[in-house]
């Protein structure tokens, strides 16, 4: 028996578009999710949007939130070339291989670092800490997908 799923949000953000109202849109579309989880999902969605606009500005991003009985999944897809996809996948696998305790330490170290350049990975680290499992990735046909799971 497969768990029933329901897509509660499906959104396309065009390349270079102004994401000014995105928080309000996410808040209103995800209203039926309890507030603590909704805040975690929105925080991760914004991190992944920012990551895309910084590192992949020429391509848009699709965001979906899919609800099932036991969890809620945040899924983002974007067009990426193979080199960028491999780099991002390796960065994510590095994060997945670090314990939650050590990720918290690394996150704080990156925040206090005098080297405030982009690419510390804190956005992805935050997503890993706020979700309830490893960050899942998939790459095929120049489309890179990131999935985060939030357990009920």
């Amino acid at each position: 028996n497969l768990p029933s799923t329901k897509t509660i949000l499906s959104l396309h953000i065009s390349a270079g578009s102004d994401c000014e109202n995105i928080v309000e849109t996410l808040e209103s579309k995800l209203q039926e999710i309890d507030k603590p989880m909704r805040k975690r999902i929105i925080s991760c969605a914004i991190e992944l949007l920012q990551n895309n606009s910084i590192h992949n500005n020429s391509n848009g991003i699709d965001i979906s939130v899919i609800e099932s009985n036991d969890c809620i999944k945040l899924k983002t897809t974007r067009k990426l070339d193979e080199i960028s996809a491999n780099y991002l996948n390796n960065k994510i696998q590095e994060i997945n291989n670090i314990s939650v305790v050590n990720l918290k330490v690394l996150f704080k170290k990156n925040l206090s670092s005098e080297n405030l350049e982009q690419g510390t990975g804190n956005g992805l680290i935050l997503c890993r800490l706020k979700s309830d499992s490893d960050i899942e990735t998939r790459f095929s046909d120049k489309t890179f997908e990131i999935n985060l799971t939030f357990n009920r």
Side-chain angles (χ1 to χ4, degrees):
N1 229 0
L2 289 173
S4 65
T5 62
K6 177 173 92 171
T7 300
I8 51 179
L9 171 75
S10 186
L11 198 57
H12 174 76
I13 313 285
S14 305
S17 73
D18 182 4
C19 296
E20 198 173 298
N21 301 322
I22 193 69
V23 175
E24 292 84 0
T25 302
L26 291 169
E27 277 283 348
S28 69
K29 298 277 188 185
L30 303 179
Q31 203 59 46
E32 63 191 59
I33 299 171
D34 65 303
K35 191 173 183 177
M37 185 180 291
R38 183 172 66 236
K39 287 173 73 174
R40 290 172 32 218
I41 292 169
I42 290 171
S43 176
C44 291
I46 289 168
E47 287 296 340
L48 294 173
L49 277 170
Q50 287 176 330
N51 184 290
N52 193 68
S53 70
I54 291 167
H55 301 292
N56 189 32
N57 199 347
S58 59
N59 290 305
I61 185 171
D62 293 313
I63 300 174
S64 303
V65 177
I66 299 131
E67 184 177 41
S68 71
N69 296 338
D70 58 346
C71 69
I72 296 177
K73 286 198 180 277
L74 170 64
K75 174 179 162 181
T76 63
T77 55
R78 76 224 4 105
K79 291 290 181 196
L80 266 188
D81 62 74
E82 193 167 350
I83 292 169
S84 299
N86 285 334
Y87 174 79
L88 184 54
N89 189 58
N90 289 340
K91 192 98 167 150
I92 288 170
Q93 294 318 314
E94 283 174 24
I95 290 167
N96 284 341
N97 288 328
I98 300 172
S99 71
V100 169
V101 170
N102 288 337
L103 279 176
K104 289 177 180 175
V105 170
L106 180 59
F107 185 83
K108 287 178 184 162
K109 181 180 162 221
N110 288 344
L111 281 180
S112 65
S113 171
E114 291 173 19
N115 147 18
L116 291 175
E117 67 186 53
Q118 293 172 347
T120 60
N122 261 10
L124 290 169
I125 291 171
L126 186 73
C127 288
R128 172 62 192 92
L129 292 172
K130 287 188 177 287
S131 66
D132 293 307
S133 63
D134 285 355
I135 301 169
E136 299 168 23
T137 62
R138 186 172 294 120
F139 179 68
S140 70
D141 197 29
K142 296 186 179 172
T143 300
F144 192 83
E145 184 178 302
I146 295 176
N147 291 298
L148 300 174
T149 301
F150 302 85
N151 295 328
R152 291 197 180 272

